[in-house]
């Protein structure tokens, strides 16, 4: 079906979804990372960036929260820029695990494979792939530079979060060494884990994440800065990964009810990608039992349902000026 939606309709849907989701309760801040346990649970923001660069922001959209697992998306993109999508498929994989983000069992089930760069194992493996080999500082600059290009502005490390994660990341240490045992870590193990921990500790705003989502939706061209950040062929590859594992063991339920591929993080952020149309990001700290923000899920679902959008509908949707 051919459909057209106006920019005002999108803004209106975002405003209504935001207002109606303010009262959504339930969930709890992540408690296994001390810094996250202490964030104000009332914070709530919603941002939408269209592929023409128009943005709408409601609520706490300038608050810098821990990007956490949403950082797995830009680093997977960087690994694909540097090693091609096939290289990442070969060295990491692109399979949904159907298991929690930090699952060790998933590594064993996948026959020694980290599965996908969007779970902890594959994300640590992706950090190990980033060039240049053996150079922590340059690798870090490549990772943060890529995030800056995708968002059109720089993220900032939250030192306290980084210290908090480093002091408590015992499970991720176990994952890293298990991967090393299976030859799935392609650089120094401790350096790769540290890069992963640091990228999770970057502070980001929902308005920045909406631009990142829009850059992915816009075939790698950042609609705000006009910079071509990655080749268009990478866009459907990363969106496939987001669609298949973005909500970990609840990915199927999420896609079924929301109609948009999205990636979550235990900092309370969710970033969605609507191919060709827009990026969307919501932030609210309380999480469900799988580590996904309760309010962020609610607001994005409401927004999608109000507009009657689903990335698999087959509709040819265009956004028009009013
Ligand atoms: N830094 C977190 C961890 O590795 C990220 C998890 C997430 O956001 O899902 O446990």
């Amino acid at each position: 079906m051919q459909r057209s939606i106006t920019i005002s309709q999108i803004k209106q849907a975002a405003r209504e979804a935001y207002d109606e989701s303010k009262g959504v309760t339930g969930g709890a801040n992540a408690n296994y990372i001390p810094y996250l346990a202490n964030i104000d649970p009332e914070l709530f923001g919603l941002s939408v960036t269209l592929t023409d660069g128009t943005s709408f922001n409601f609520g706490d959209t300038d608050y810098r929260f821990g990007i956490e697992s949403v950082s797995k998306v830009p680093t997977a993109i960087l690994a694909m820029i540097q090693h091609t999508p096939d290289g990442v498929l070969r060295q990491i994989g692109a399979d949904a695990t159907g298991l929690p983000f930090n699952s060790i069992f998933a590594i064993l089930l996948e026959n020694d494979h980290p599965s996908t760069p969007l779970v902890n194992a594959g994300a640590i493996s992706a950090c190990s792939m980033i060039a240049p080999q053996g150079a922590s500082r340059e690798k870090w600059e490549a990772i943060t530079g890529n995030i800056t290009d995708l968002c059109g502005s720089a993220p900032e490390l939250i030192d306290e979060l980084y210290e908090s994660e480093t002091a408590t990341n015992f499970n991720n240490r176990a994952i890293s060494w298990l991967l090393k045992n299976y030859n799935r870590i392609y650089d120094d193990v401790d350096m790769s884990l540290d890069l992963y921990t640091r990228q999770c500790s970057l502070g980001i705003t929902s308005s920045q994440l909406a631009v990142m989502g829009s850059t992915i939706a816009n075939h790698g061209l950042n609609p705000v800065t006009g910079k071509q950040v990655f080749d268009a062929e990478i866009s459907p590859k990363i969106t496939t990964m987001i669609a298949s594992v973005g909500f970990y063991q609840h990915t199927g339920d999420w896609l079924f009810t929301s109609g948009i591929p999205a990636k979550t993080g235990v900092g309370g952020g969710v970033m969605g990608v609507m191919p060709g149309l827009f990026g969307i990001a919501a932030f609210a700290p309380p999480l469900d039992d799988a580590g996904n923000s309760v309010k962020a899920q609610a607001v994005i679902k409401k927004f999608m349902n109000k507009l009657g959008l689903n990335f698999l509908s087959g509709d040819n949707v265009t956004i028009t000026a009013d």
Side-chain angles (χ1 to χ4, degrees):
M1 195 167 55
Q2 188 76 34
R3 287 186 58 198
S4 96
I5 304 178
T6 66
I7 292 180
S8 309
Q9 283 174 317
I10 293 175
K11 185 174 185 183
Q12 170 86 359
R15 185 191 304 281
E16 286 175 11
Y18 179 78
D19 288 341
E20 290 168 20
S21 303
K22 275 184 194 158
V24 170
T25 54
N29 287 25
N31 59 8
Y32 75 106
I33 299 171
Y35 174 89
L36 297 178
N38 296 323
I39 303 290
D40 178 358
E42 296 301 321
L43 288 163
F44 179 37
L46 173 68
S47 303
V48 181
T49 298
L50 309 183
T51 49
D52 72 354
T54 307
S55 291
F56 305 117
N57 290 288
F58 300 95
D60 301 307
T61 55
D62 290 329
Y63 180 86
R64 279 186 190 274
F65 55 93
I67 187 172
E68 295 295 344
S69 278
V70 183
S71 67
K72 292 166 178 163
V73 172
T75 299
I77 290 172
L78 183 59
M80 287 194 267
I81 293 171
Q82 294 182 342
H83 301 275
T84 76
D86 278 352
V88 170
L89 182 66
R90 211 170 35 249
Q91 291 190 265
I92 298 177
D95 248 347
T97 60
L99 288 165
F101 60 90
N102 55 3
S103 178
I104 286 176
F105 197 43
I107 306 169
L108 305 174
L109 281 175
E110 284 280 328
N111 293 327
D112 320 345
H113 224 246
S115 313
T116 161
L118 301 194
V119 299
N120 288 20
I124 296 165
S125 195
C127 284
S128 78
M129 284 177 76
I130 299 305
Q133 290 293 295
S136 173
R137 191 164 59 83
E138 287 81 356
K139 280 165 88 99
W140 178 242
E141 281 167 6
I143 288 169
T144 53
N146 178 55
I147 294 174
T148 302
D149 285 346
L150 288 164
C151 296
S153 57
E156 266 172 37
L157 189 70
I158 304 174
D159 293 316
E160 206 185 325
L161 177 55
Y162 174 51
E163 280 156 30
S164 193
E165 295 222 16
T166 303
T168 54
N169 64 353
F170 309 113
N171 193 81
N172 287 339
R173 287 185 221 177
I175 287 174
S176 307
W177 284 103
L178 186 59
L179 290 176
K180 172 73 177 168
N181 185 51
Y182 292 138
N183 298 317
R184 296 288 176 182
I185 293 285
Y186 306 101
D187 205 335
D188 180 80
V189 179
D190 290 328
M191 183 206 296
S192 305
L193 174 61
D194 178 58
L195 286 166
Y196 168 74
T197 308
R198 250 192 290 168
Q199 75 173 25
C200 286
S201 308
L202 285 168
I204 201 98
T205 66
S206 69
S207 59
Q208 286 178 299
L209 283 185
V211 178
M212 185 191 297
S214 191
T215 302
I216 297 168
N218 198 32
H219 320 292
L221 176 71
N222 184 318
V224 175
T225 63
K227 179 168 180 172
Q228 187 73 44
V229 183
F230 57 82
D231 285 348
E233 59 146 358
I234 291 177
S235 195
K237 300 296 185 193
I238 189 65
T239 308
T240 301
M241 288 171 171
I242 296 171
S244 57
V245 76
F247 270 72
Y248 306 118
Q249 69 272 42
H250 294 317
T251 304
D253 285 353
W254 166 260
L255 265 191
F256 195 92
T257 51
S258 72
I260 183 169
K263 183 73 201 83
T264 64
V266 293
V270 174
M271 177 186 74
V273 177
M274 191 66 186
L277 299 181
F278 56 79
I280 185 167
F283 157 64
L287 311 177
D288 65 16
D289 59 353
N292 304 320
S293 168
V294 174
K295 235 184 218 179
Q297 291 181 72
V299 72
I300 294 175
K301 278 185 201 175
K302 277 185 199 292
F303 173 78
M304 292 296 292
N305 291 333
K306 279 177 190 295
L307 292 171
L309 291 173
N310 187 312
F311 88 120
L312 289 175
S313 68
D315 289 348
N316 184 3
V317 181
T318 47
I319 298 176
T320 57
D322 305 312

